[in-house]
Amino acid sequence: MTLVLGIETSCDETSASVVVREAERWSVRSLVILSQDIHAVFGGVVPEIASRAHLTAIVPVVSHALHEAGVTLDDVDAIAVTHAPGLVGALLVGVAYAKGLAAASDTPLIGVHHMEGHLFATSLVHADAEPPFIALLVSGGHTMLLDVRDWGDYAWLGGTRDDAAGEAFDKVGKLLGLPYPGGPHIERLARDGDPSRFRFARPMLRRDQQPDDPDYFDLSFSGVKTAVRLAVEGSADLDADRAHLARAFQDAVIDTLVAKVVRACRARGRTRVVLGGGVACNQTLVRAMEQGVGAIGGQVFAPTTRLATDNAAMIAAAGAWRFERGERSPWGLSAYAQREIPGLVRSRP
Ligand code: KG4
Ligand code: ZN
């Protein structure tokens, strides 16, 4: 049995979790997530405020996670902490605290890449969300399509050329006058939208694209964002058009994501698809993905809402896997704004 304490502070959620791995099965013993709602006032995450809020929250959040799991630091086999990528000041709070805890309790320390955490999240709730699978990670900061050949062995298929998927939802939310973050509001509004009122071109999706084309798996959201802006500017009655615009935007994004994932499954011969990141909370996306991937005989695994958005359970899980392989991070572990996922291969074989 491996019992890992996970700590996540890469953006605007202070989170700690105790996860146990036993006989190849996961159990989340506790998961505490403190979201910093203050950023909504500013329409986006303010890095300096995020760092300070993590500092205030980190000690009680970790204590609470240990308490809820009914364990003490003595029971912890390893402490896993997100050390990249993210806001450096925010990451540093988690890294420094994890190092202090690990040194004081003589517990091994494991630095975890935030996006590798997202890859593990769904496996905490679906025993079959195991490699090999195609992963679509769609969050506020990242958009990537990977072929997960095995844990720790990731082949890059495509990513966004401009905005991340969640960032596009948030920017379009702003254009439509919705609160930050816009994603959930757009999904809700789109339910009442008439899909025939507006139609936006599907970005980077052409019938004549070939698997060797550089944009075959890549994504882009700035064009559709501009199309929404122009439609908003041209609208005589935005209150009447808002839901239709939300629907048209969401349809364009979802159609594109589903088409790229189906291409990836076909090209790599995969039948499992794992979703991750905040945009995977979007149930319209999940249903459309299930339909598209189901039509080629595949299966889609989506995380729960709590595991889709930033959380420490996924960091503990990725850390547990690396710990069981014998990995340990040095005391010099640092925080990085940008860093490649360990085990990621960029060239397409
Ligand atoms: O993974 P996450 O919590 O944080 C990052 O690492 O960025 O993702 C946050 C993003 C935001 O852009 C938010 O608008 C988006 O996830 N999001 C959604 C939905 N719920 C959250 N986007 C579309 N539909 C949703 N229901
Ligand atoms: Zn994230």
Side-chain angles (χ1 to χ4, degrees):
M1 180 184 103
T2 309
L3 188 146
V4 176
L5 168 67
I7 297 177
E8 154 69 37
T9 63
S10 68
C11 191
D12 59 343
E13 264 94 23
T14 316
S15 180
S17 171
V18 173
V19 166
V20 169
R21 173 125 175 117
E22 192 167 22
E24 308 216 331
R25 295 200 81 83
W26 296 107
S27 125
V28 179
R29 294 281 171 90
S30 67
L31 173 56
V32 180
I33 306 173
L34 198 70
S35 293
Q36 304 173 1
D37 297 332
I38 183 165
H39 302 288
V41 176
F42 300 95
V45 177
V46 183
E48 187 53 34
I49 293 177
S51 310
R52 286 168 196 236
H54 284 308
L55 263 182
T56 312
I58 187 85
V59 175
V61 164
V62 170
S63 306
H64 200 64
L66 290 170
H67 180 77
E68 264 198 5
V71 298
T72 67
L73 267 184
D74 287 343
D75 304 312
V76 172
D77 295 310
I79 298 176
V81 62
T82 309
H83 79 119
L87 304 169
V88 159
L91 286 165
L92 273 172
V93 175
V95 169
Y97 188 60
K99 277 190 200 174
L101 275 186
S105 59
D106 202 17
T107 307
L109 175 74
I110 315 279
V112 170
H113 191 286
H114 180 82
M115 300 314 288
E116 185 169 48
H118 277 299
L119 288 176
F120 273 82
T122 306
S123 71
L124 289 169
V125 281
H126 289 291
D128 291 336
E130 290 280 324
F133 58 76
I134 295 297
L136 176 71
L137 299 183
V138 272
S139 72
H142 297 271
T143 301
M144 44 180 86
L145 189 59
L146 303 174
D147 180 19
V148 175
R149 298 183 283 215
D150 201 349
W151 293 125
D153 180 8
Y154 313 120
W156 178 271
L157 297 177
T160 181
R161 299 268 180 105
D162 36 63
D163 293 345
E167 190 182 358
F169 268 95
D170 296 340
K171 287 179 176 168
V172 164
K174 209 172 213 172
L175 288 171
L176 295 178
L178 302 171
Y180 173 87
H185 298 280
I186 291 182
E187 182 180 17
R188 216 169 299 127
L189 254 185
R191 287 193 197 120
D192 299 324
D194 176 349
S196 66
R197 288 293 305 280
F198 294 91
R199 185 181 164 85
F200 302 126
R202 276 49 181 153
M204 296 231 170
L205 209 54
R206 299 184 319 276
R207 268 165 209 269
D208 59 353
Q209 277 167 313
Q210 299 299 320
D212 288 339
D213 291 349
D215 59 355
Y216 188 72
F217 296 113
D218 270 351
L219 296 145
S220 158
F221 300 105
S222 71
V224 65
K225 185 184 67 191
T226 304
V228 175
R229 182 172 57 74
L230 294 174
V232 166
E233 286 167 7
S235 167
D237 186 353
L238 185 57
D239 284 338
D241 286 340
R242 192 172 280 114
H244 309 314
L245 287 165
R247 174 68 189 260
F249 165 74
Q250 185 174 273
D251 282 356
V253 171
I254 290 179
D255 273 5
T256 310
L257 292 174
V258 172
K260 299 275 165 158
V261 166
V262 166
R263 282 181 178 180
C265 290
R266 285 214 167 103
R268 311 297 293 219
R270 302 284 181 233
T271 53
R272 281 191 292 263
V273 170
V274 171
L275 305 178
V279 182
C281 294
N282 188 303
Q283 291 307 302
T284 321
L285 167 67
V286 175
R287 297 287 97 79
M289 199 63 81
E290 284 169 350
Q291 247 188 359
V293 171
I296 57 162
Q299 213 181 347
V300 176
F301 300 96
T304 57
T305 301
R306 263 167 89 72
L307 292 172
T309 53
D310 290 350
N311 70 85
M314 68 185 197
I315 302 304
W321 178 76
R322 293 205 166 266
F323 174 75
E324 285 182 353
R325 302 173 76 219
E327 287 186 29
R328 306 290 183 266
S329 292
W331 294 119
L333 180 74
S334 198
Y336 301 94
Q338 303 271 1
R339 200 158 227 231
E340 202 79 295
I341 304 178
L344 182 77
V345 181
R346 282 222 175 233
S347 61
R348 275 197 242 138

